[in-house]
Amino acid sequence: MAELKINALRKSYGDIEILKGIDLHIRDHEFVVFVGPSGCGKSTLLRSIAGLEEVTSGQIVLGGRDITGLKPAERDLAMVFQSYALYPHMNVRKNMSFALELAGVDKATIEAKVKDAARILELTHLLDRKPKDLSGGQRQRVAIGRAIVRHPQVFLFDEPLSNLDAALRVQMRLELARLHHELNATMIYVTHDQVEAMTLADRVVVMNQGRIEQVGTPLELYHHPVNQFVAGFIGTPKMAFIPARVIGGQGHELTIQLPSGEHLTLPRSPDSIHVGAEVTLGIRPEHMRIVSPENANLTGQLDVTEHLGSDTYCHVNIDGGHTLTVRQGGDYEGRFGEIVGVDFDLSRAHLFDSEGNALDSVTRQAA
Amino acid sequence: MIALSQKQRRVFSQIALTAAAWSVAFIIFFPILWMVLTSFKTELEAFATPPSLFFSPTLENYQEVFGRSDYMHYAWNSVVISMGATLLGMLLAVPAAYAMAFYETKRTQSTLLWMLSTKMLPPVGVLVPIYLLFKESGLLDTRTGLILIYTLINLPIMVWMIYTYFKEIPKDILEACRMDGATLGQEISRVLLPMCKGGLASTVLLSLILCWNEAFWSLNLTAANAAPLTALIASYSSPEGLFWAKLSAVSTLACAPILIFGWISQKQLVRGLSFGAVK
Ligand SMILES: Nc1ncnc2c1ncn2[C@@H]1O[C@H](COP(=O)(O)OP(=O)(O)O)[C@@H](O)[C@H]1O
Ligand SMILES: [Mg+2]
């Protein structure tokens, strides 16, 4: 059983608290991704799990065993580092067998395990090379191989793809996903790249400033972010935020006023908010449409349009100095400076109170 | 036309540069050459002004040196003391540098500087206390005594050098090693040391050379028993006035082992000393 429980974990460097109370439950066989902006404490959390950092307080329990105070090697975890951290003076075979040798595993078993890992990772023909004679992608695979041969309960990855170029990153991402199915192991993966998080994870842990903001499946995070931070972090291009004020509500509807004066009515229960409250409207680029200015929710001036072929990202400057990014079809042709209307799919819009917490939508309450 | 003159200029500057380099090398090498030449002259020729460039070489100086003093005794002392001090130095410097490089605190840098600053103290300033300490503890004229003092003298440089080599090792690799289940000893012996073997080798070489050539402490703290080659040289310069030819012969004999050693290992030494620069 490779079930990992983290209870009230705190970590400080001197006076600075880096992890401010982390509670997390990672299930067996799960692929969990820690994501968050750089410096939010993802690596610190991962390294605490690995045993490379001593925690200030709290508890880490793996498969029912309290591992908080154990040495890294006693925890039955393997880690893949961003820099690969291969042993430069050993060839690929040695790099992979080192841990087994230290553990006193017999030669024949080591040989078999290395062969097996090399086959899974397509490294067989490279076994006698030194790390310096390998490409970035190959080094990455050796680093993963080094973890695989040990059959650990949990695999830890700290931004393993960020040193690779974009094309290789996409390829390795697929290989990692495949590997997860093949090994059926528990994996914890750290990245600052939300696309990586969304594509790889069974569940994503969004972190910010030493705290967990939200834990959920990629789609839960996308559809129901609990706060403005998660909403802004998940999804590309980013969700647009427009400040607004509540001006009325009845039944299941809430009416807000935008800075430019327009009124919008959203499907929200008005119970949790009072008239006059400052709120923030959040709306994703894919939930807006460019329409003719006459009957639109908003009007604005078309700024730059970016053609990706499949989609077109239209940047529209609206009143109050805000820019909305609207996702249009690939064939959309806009004229720079043109006055356009923007229509919102209000059933997909998000609303946040002045603290940034999401005001639950009707659809969510129903779901 | 212009291209040609440019090419000519380049060739010319290359020749000039080569000539300059050779001149500098020659100036540095000249004293050693002169010493070796003088050692094959008679005492009279050695004194002659202008110096005689052409002379019939003689081995009489060497015969006399070997006849008068027990060269092997001094040489053996030099070997034992240099190797002993280097070994002891490495045993102390590696753990010290490890702690400083991988568990750096805010005082590490100042500790390093302080260690190096002890090298700025003129040794003669502590001669009397050290002499008395040695006398009281029976270390005078013992190889152990010299090994101790040489170790202490070279330790700052050794720690500093090894620290710089260790600093080049990414911390990740040691952490990976810890994840792999290595003990501290295995981490150091199987991963860290093999990774900086070039740097460690040059530290060892430098320490050997410095110990071999050290004269101040060996002259002041040894008499007959533990005296290394530097003391042998000195014994030829003082008592009976100056005998240039014999002095040169004994100097040549004293320098030869370390010169040959240095020559064989120069590639290693250069690579080690310019570690960060080349890589
Ligand atoms: N050894 C350390 N000493 C002091 N502060 C540290 C140390 N390691 C990391 N930090 C700080 O902890 C914070 C979180 O770091 P990290 O976990 O590496 O972030 P992330 O991986 O999310 O980018 C950063 O602000 C970083 O400066
Ligand atoms: Mg990090």
Side-chain angles (χ1 to χ4, degrees):
Chain A
M1 272 298 282
E3 182 193 43
L4 189 77
K5 282 198 173 116
I6 298 170
N7 302 323
L9 192 78
R10 287 172 183 276
K11 166 76 186 171
S12 307
Y13 289 113
D15 299 337
I16 306 162
E17 192 164 51
I18 305 295
L19 298 178
K20 301 165 184 166
I22 302 285
D23 289 288
L24 187 62
H25 179 183
I26 293 168
R27 297 189 272 264
D28 202 7
H29 307 313
E30 203 172 23
F31 198 126
V32 168
V33 177
F34 298 168
V35 69
S38 181
C40 71
K42 310 176 293 286
S43 297
T44 308
L45 178 55
L46 194 76
R47 292 164 52 81
S48 301
I49 296 171
L52 294 170
E53 302 285 350
E54 223 171 288
V55 303
T56 312
S57 68
Q59 201 187 26
I60 304 167
V61 180
L62 175 62
R65 189 171 65 122
D66 185 346
I67 59 167
T68 319
L70 296 185
K71 285 197 195 130
E74 296 164 348
R75 299 186 176 208
D76 201 9
L77 308 161
M79 180 149 166
V80 175
F81 293 82
Q82 176 175 357
S83 61
Y84 319 138
L86 300 179
Y87 309 125
H89 57 297
M90 299 182 192
N91 63 19
V92 171
R93 186 192 311 274
K94 267 279 187 200
N95 261 284
M96 294 208 279
S97 65
F98 188 60
L100 300 176
E101 266 172 50
L102 292 177
V105 177
D106 67 273
K107 278 226 163 65
T109 315
I110 293 181
E111 181 67 32
K113 285 190 169 173
V114 169
K115 239 173 102 179
D116 206 37
R119 180 188 51 75
I120 293 175
L121 296 164
E122 292 162 22
L123 286 171
T124 310
H125 59 297
L126 301 172
L127 280 177
D128 293 315
R129 291 220 196 148
K130 288 271 178 70
K132 67 171 179 352
D133 301 321
L134 301 176
S135 70
Q138 290 167 337
R139 282 179 207 180
Q140 184 56 263
R141 287 213 290 273
V142 176
I144 295 170
R146 201 164 59 175
I148 289 179
V149 292
R150 293 176 48 202
H151 286 286
Q153 291 204 52
V154 180
F155 286 86
L156 308 175
F157 298 90
D158 192 353
E159 311 226 4
L161 306 187
S162 48
N163 284 350
L164 302 176
D165 63 51
L168 206 52
R169 205 148 57 213
V170 173
Q171 186 199 331
M172 282 304 289
R173 205 165 73 197
L174 289 172
E175 285 190 33
L176 275 174
R178 187 172 52 78
L179 199 68
H180 176 236
H181 288 298
E182 198 160 337
L183 300 174
N184 200 16
T186 308
M187 294 188 170
I188 307 177
Y189 185 104
V190 163
T191 179
H192 65 270
D193 178 355
Q194 57 96 17
V195 176
E196 242 170 59
M198 297 291 276
T199 50
L200 280 170
D202 294 326
R203 282 196 306 156
V204 179
V205 176
V206 183
M207 292 181 63
N208 187 30
Q209 298 186 350
R211 289 203 174 80
I212 293 180
E213 298 280 351
Q214 189 172 3
V215 181
T217 65
L219 289 184
E220 272 168 7
L221 297 183
Y222 177 82
H223 291 299
H224 307 294
V226 295
N227 57 33
Q228 205 174 328
F229 176 82
V230 176
F233 196 79
I234 301 291
T236 40
K238 273 168 70 109
M239 182 186 284
F241 295 113
I242 309 166
R245 180 188 300 277
V246 177
I247 56 168
Q250 56 174 192
H252 286 302
E253 298 201 323
L254 196 67
T255 306
I256 59 170
Q257 183 177 30
L258 299 184
S260 45
E262 287 92 346
H263 291 189
L264 296 176
T265 299
L266 284 87
R268 282 293 185 294
S269 155
D271 300 345
S272 51
I273 196 102
H274 59 89
V275 170
E278 302 281 348
V279 291
T280 303
L281 173 73
I283 182 111
R284 296 195 187 276
E286 51 272 41
H287 302 144
M288 293 185 261
R289 254 174 341 115
I290 300 242
V291 293
S292 62
E294 295 83 58
N295 41 20
N297 289 127
L298 265 182
T299 55
Q301 192 175 23
L302 191 60
D303 195 357
V304 176
T305 52
E306 297 174 301
H307 293 279
L308 303 186
S310 56
D311 301 303
T312 306
Y313 296 140
C314 309
H315 300 272
V316 181
N317 296 326
I318 58 167
D319 288 351
H322 294 277
T323 303
L324 300 179
T325 303
V326 181
R327 196 174 99 185
Q328 286 291 110
D331 297 329
Y332 178 80
E333 294 282 358
R335 210 161 25 77
F336 182 85
E338 183 183 2
I339 300 295
V340 293
V342 179
D343 226 7
F344 296 160
D345 177 356
L346 287 173
S347 69
R348 315 291 292 269
H350 301 258
L351 208 55
F352 305 96
D353 66 17
S354 54
E355 252 99 72
N357 294 315
L359 296 169
D360 272 354
S361 69
V362 176
T363 48
R364 178 139 196 227
Q365 280 164 345
Chain B
M1 189 65 205
I2 290 168
L4 196 72
S5 87
Q6 253 178 358
K7 191 180 165 193
Q8 277 171 336
R9 221 179 302 158
R10 206 164 48 227
V11 169
F12 184 77
S13 77
Q14 205 132 60
I15 291 171
L17 211 66
T18 310
W22 276 102
S23 316
V24 171
F26 184 73
I27 290 168
I28 292 172
F29 180 64
F30 184 75
I32 296 171
L33 176 70
W34 197 249
M35 174 184 80
V36 176
L37 285 180
T38 308
S39 74
F40 290 105
K41 294 177 181 175
T42 63
E43 287 297 346
L44 262 163
E45 281 169 331
F47 258 119
T49 22
S52 51
L53 269 181
F54 301 98
F55 58 95
S56 47
T58 166
L59 283 175
E60 66 182 38
N61 298 312
Y62 287 93
Q63 278 160 355
E64 180 146 357
V65 168
F66 276 114
R68 213 164 68 182
S69 26
D70 185 359
Y71 173 79
M72 285 319 285
H73 169 72
Y74 292 94
W76 181 241
N77 277 345
S78 275
V79 168
V80 170
I81 293 166
S82 306
M83 301 241 265
T86 301
L87 187 71
L88 185 60
M90 288 302 281
L91 284 178
L92 294 172
V94 166
Y98 178 87
M100 289 192 191
F102 300 113
Y103 295 91
E104 192 152 0
T105 68
K106 39 183 193 300
R107 285 184 209 89
T108 301
Q109 286 302 322
S110 27
T111 310
L112 272 171
L113 271 179
W114 167 76
M115 284 178 56
L116 213 60
S117 75
T118 60
K119 295 291 294 174
M120 295 166 197
L121 181 78
V124 72
V126 289
L127 176 59
V128 174
I130 297 257
Y131 185 89
L132 292 176
L133 272 175
F134 268 51
K135 200 174 151 203
E136 288 307 312
S137 45
L139 287 170
L140 272 185
D141 201 17
T142 61
R143 295 198 288 233
T144 319
L146 273 198
I147 288 177
L148 280 180
I149 200 100
Y150 285 4
T151 304
L152 292 175
I153 292 174
N154 290 336
L155 205 52
I157 295 178
M158 296 173 86
V159 171
W160 191 284
M161 281 179 75
I162 298 173
Y163 169 82
T164 12
Y165 301 128
F166 281 1
K167 267 291 185 199
E168 305 253 335
I169 305 294
K171 215 174 167 203
D172 284 0
I173 292 186
L174 299 186
E175 286 176 345
C177 187
R178 247 164 271 167
M179 296 290 300
D180 273 352
T183 60
L184 179 64
Q186 287 168 327
E187 175 187 325
I188 293 180
S189 67
R190 300 201 46 184
V191 174
L192 185 60
L193 297 187
M195 278 179 71
C196 1
K197 57 176 190 276
L200 293 169
S202 28
T203 312
V204 165
L205 283 173
L206 191 72
S207 165
L208 285 175
I209 292 169
L210 289 175
C211 291
W212 191 275
N213 293 335
E214 204 286 334
F216 178 78
W217 293 105
S218 63
L219 287 180
N220 284 299
L221 298 177
T222 64
N225 183 34
L229 284 169
T230 43
L232 176 67
I233 301 178
S235 76
Y236 274 79
S237 73
S238 36
E240 320 122 47
L242 284 176
F243 291 92
W244 287 114
K246 277 188 270 308
L247 188 61
S248 297
V250 76
S251 298
T252 306
L253 282 171
C255 296
I258 203 76
L259 268 181
I260 294 166
F261 184 65
W263 184 270
I264 293 168
S265 49
Q266 62 171 334
K267 238 194 207 135
Q268 181 58 55
L269 199 62
V270 170
R271 195 167 35 176
L273 291 175
S274 52
F275 191 54
V278 189
K279 218 170 106 162

